[in-house]
Amino acid sequence: MSRLEDLSERYGEHHRERRTQDFVYAGAERARLFREYVGGPGRRVLDLGCRYGALTRAYAEGNEVTGVDVDREALVEAAKLGIETRWANVDEPLPFEDASFDVVVAGELLEHVRDPAGLVGEAKRVLRPGGQLVASVPNAFRLKNRLRFLLGRKPEDDPTHLHMFSPDDVGALLRDFEEPRVHFIAGRFVPLHGALFANDIVFAGRKPR
């Protein structure tokens, strides 16, 4: 069995055990932000880690979307949205030409890969000058997780998470992008202190022209 096949099997099992096909972490709030940043119509969009396409629905209409995922079965469902799909491991160089997309989406993906900064670099490579990166990660250093740690429990209980991101880590990922934007979302007390209470961080930036 190849590494790609092994990952497809493991992530497929994980997806089907933990989430329904239409589940979107942080729900409508995250979908709205992604839709705004992707824009369109007429955008060529690379959707990394698209899974079943639950979030893709927010920005697929009127745009030319290519969805990439390691879960081969999930891609079968994503293709029903009328998008192109590509079975690939995003821990390897992306199988696309330089400057070939207007937008690269990476929603709830970077925490799962071995080299998040490397993947962001690949996203920048395949973006056209002035193109937009739109991404999100769990806010791993939120107060809830800090309390779990103090109680002797793991801050995160998802076995597929390889990295934990703080707001500063997100800022570092955007270092080579212009017009960086960071949003703290999904949490009752976010208006009081986003970094402490948000469950998720959505961020975006433009590739320099």
Side-chain angles (χ1 to χ4, degrees):
M1 180 183 294
S2 69
R3 174 167 174 76
L4 182 56
E5 290 170 328
D6 178 60
L7 287 170
S8 179
E9 185 175 305
R10 289 197 289 116
Y11 272 95
E13 182 179 349
H14 174 74
H15 290 161
R16 284 175 276 283
E17 283 183 355
R18 293 176 66 99
R19 299 287 188 242
T20 62
Q21 291 188 10
D22 59 355
F23 175 80
V24 176
Y25 187 67
E29 190 175 11
R30 188 162 70 98
R32 176 183 60 79
L33 284 167
F34 273 62
R35 181 167 53 248
E36 289 178 4
Y37 279 118
V38 170
R43 299 292 181 89
R44 187 160 191 240
V45 182
L46 178 61
D47 192 346
L48 301 175
C50 67
R51 291 182 57 198
Y52 301 100
L55 183 63
T56 314
R57 293 188 184 97
Y59 42 82
E61 186 175 357
N63 291 317
E64 181 186 343
V65 180
T66 299
V68 176
D69 205 276
V70 74
D71 183 347
R72 201 172 197 174
E73 289 186 33
L75 287 176
V76 173
E77 296 301 315
K80 294 177 182 179
L81 296 175
I83 69 172
E84 180 184 345
T85 59
R86 184 75 67 93
W87 184 41
N89 178 6
V90 296
D91 265 319
E92 298 175 355
L94 297 175
F96 304 103
E97 298 293 327
D98 294 359
S100 53
F101 291 93
D102 300 304
V103 185
V104 174
V105 172
E108 308 302 297
L109 172 67
L110 295 170
E111 66 273 16
H112 296 279
V113 302
R114 289 176 294 178
D115 183 9
L119 180 54
V120 169
E122 276 291 282
K124 183 181 177 186
R125 177 183 67 78
V126 301
L127 277 172
R128 293 169 179 156
Q132 182 91 272
L133 169 70
V134 189
S136 63
V137 292
N139 182 18
F141 290 83
R142 60 191 182 271
L143 183 60
K144 176 182 177 181
N145 286 12
R146 297 183 189 198
L147 293 175
R148 286 169 60 99
F149 183 79
L150 287 174
L151 293 172
R153 300 169 61 190
K154 292 181 179 180
E156 295 279 1
D157 59 5
D158 189 326
T160 66
H161 285 189
L162 304 182
H163 296 274
M164 298 173 62
F165 290 92
S166 70
D168 285 346
D169 295 326
V170 168
L173 291 174
L174 289 171
R175 186 165 41 211
D176 295 330
F177 291 82
E178 298 177 343
E179 301 176 29
R181 298 287 188 272
V182 177
H183 303 267
F184 296 102
I185 68 168
R188 181 185 303 177
F189 300 110
V190 168
L192 296 178
H193 196 296
L196 275 182
F197 294 112
N199 289 310
D200 207 52
I201 305 173
V202 173
F203 55 101
R206 290 194 179 280
K207 178 178 177 176
R209 294 184 182 276

